[in-house]
Amino acid sequence: MLVVLKTGLTPSASGSAYLEVGSQILEPHSVPDSVQSKSSTKISCTVHGPRPLPRSAPFSPSLLLSTHVKFAPFATRTRRGYLRDPSEKDLAIHLETALRGVIIGDRWPKSGVDVVITILEAEEPPEHEIPSGTVDAEASGHPAITLLNVLSHCITVASAAIIDAGIDCVDLVVGGTAILTKDGFLAHHANVQPSRVLATATVGYLPCRQEISELWLIGNDQDDSTSTALGNIQNADRVIDSAIQTAGWSHAAVKEAIRERLLHDARKGKSQLGK
């Protein structure tokens, strides 16, 4: 998986990060028709805080976390509005759940932190899969794949920005997504034909603690028979394990970005001492 992650790019923010991810097939077999050509996701994140809450705010014994996720108007094929829609609010809620499980909030009583994410480009399923004449994107079924894929990258870039802001965490939380197609292939990108998707899962994973702080799982099989239910459990286990594997790849990128940031700060400190 091709991952570019940089931190400290927004001086006015307490912490910031930029993430660019290229798509790739998880299992090295011949690529089926349900998996299309490569695309990428580009996301920026800024963290503001921790900072004191207004005097009029009620006392809070721990840090108040606020998340804001917004697609840029040009991020998808269908131009987005400037006001947040329900899907963006859902992303913010899931992101907050993933981050709340790692931040040590007791160290900042009556304080708040804002995590602001802007999605500059998002992977989407093939355009020919969208039903003709469909105005509402929800009717095509493809936003679920896009949202789950975007959420995993939001978790990763937000984790890097929070560390860049110096906020104490119990572990790094990284996102991972896996898509199981009816061909039996696993992909971790959204550029898959929606009609061929069997299950999709996104996790917020803590590698050192081996814990999951967020899980979003969607399946397409409507058969309620016992044999199908058992098969669905096996498919769910398979796609969740693959999502965790993908999160492990993101974990390596986050660690490398943090290491580069620390080395940069150390060199900058030495140069200032030399003066």
Side-chain angles (χ1 to χ4, degrees):
M1 179 173 61
L2 178 61
V3 179
V4 177
L5 179 61
K6 298 293 183 181
T7 59
L9 301 180
T10 308
S12 60
S14 303
S16 61
Y18 170 79
L19 176 68
E20 184 171 344
V21 182
S23 60
Q24 178 179 327
I25 307 302
L26 285 182
E27 295 183 349
H29 303 292
S30 58
V31 180
D33 294 337
S34 60
V35 181
Q36 301 295 317
S37 59
K38 295 181 180 180
S39 58
S40 64
T41 299
K42 301 174 184 178
I43 302 176
S44 68
C45 177
T46 56
V47 175
H48 305 276
R51 51 193 177 192
L53 295 176
R55 292 186 177 182
S56 59
F59 176 78
S60 174
S62 61
L63 182 69
L64 292 182
L65 175 64
S66 175
T67 56
H68 184 282
V69 179
K70 185 73 183 74
F71 283 88
F74 48 82
T76 57
R77 283 189 294 265
T78 303
R79 188 171 179 83
R80 296 269 180 165
Y82 291 96
L83 298 178
R84 287 204 302 168
D85 58 33
S87 64
E88 292 166 330
K89 295 178 181 179
D90 285 343
L91 284 175
I93 293 174
H94 284 281
L95 176 62
E96 181 179 345
T97 302
L99 299 178
R100 192 176 297 279
V102 296
I103 294 177
I104 306 177
D106 296 341
R107 298 185 179 179
W108 291 277
K110 203 177 181 182
S111 299
V113 61
D114 298 322
V115 178
V116 181
I117 285 184
T118 302
I119 302 163
L120 305 174
E121 182 179 341
E123 288 180 298
E124 293 184 284
E127 190 171 5
H128 62 77
E129 275 284 313
I130 302 177
S132 59
T134 298
V135 177
D136 185 3
E138 293 289 340
S140 67
H142 79 271
I145 305 176
T146 302
L147 290 181
L148 268 69
N149 186 67
V150 165
L151 174 63
S152 69
H153 301 318
C154 288
I155 293 172
T156 300
V157 71
S159 177
I162 286 174
I163 297 299
D164 186 53
I167 299 175
D168 295 336
C169 300
V170 297
D171 192 3
L172 289 174
V173 57
V174 287
T177 296
I179 301 171
L180 178 64
T181 70
K182 295 179 181 179
D183 306 296
F185 285 81
L186 286 164
H188 68 259
H189 57 85
N191 204 13
V192 178
Q193 295 178 6
S195 61
R196 302 300 302 166
V197 173
L198 187 62
T200 309
T202 290
V203 297
Y205 185 62
L206 285 64
C208 295
R209 300 170 68 97
Q210 295 185 352
E211 297 177 357
I212 293 177
S213 63
E214 166 65 16
L215 172 61
W216 194 355
L217 176 64
I218 295 178
N220 293 336
D221 201 331
Q222 302 298 325
D223 192 344
D224 294 331
S225 64
T226 303
S227 60
T228 301
L230 292 175
N232 288 342
I233 293 174
Q234 294 175 351
N235 288 334
D237 288 342
R238 186 182 176 198
V239 73
I240 291 173
D241 288 342
S242 296
I244 292 175
Q245 177 188 353
T246 308
W249 300 342
S250 300
H251 182 227
V254 174
K255 289 196 301 182
E256 180 63 22
I258 294 174
R259 187 185 69 86
E260 291 180 0
R261 178 65 174 175
L262 292 176
L263 290 176
H264 175 269
D265 291 344
R267 288 193 296 265
K268 185 177 180 181
K270 288 182 179 180
S271 63
Q272 291 178 350
L273 290 176
K275 295 180 181 179

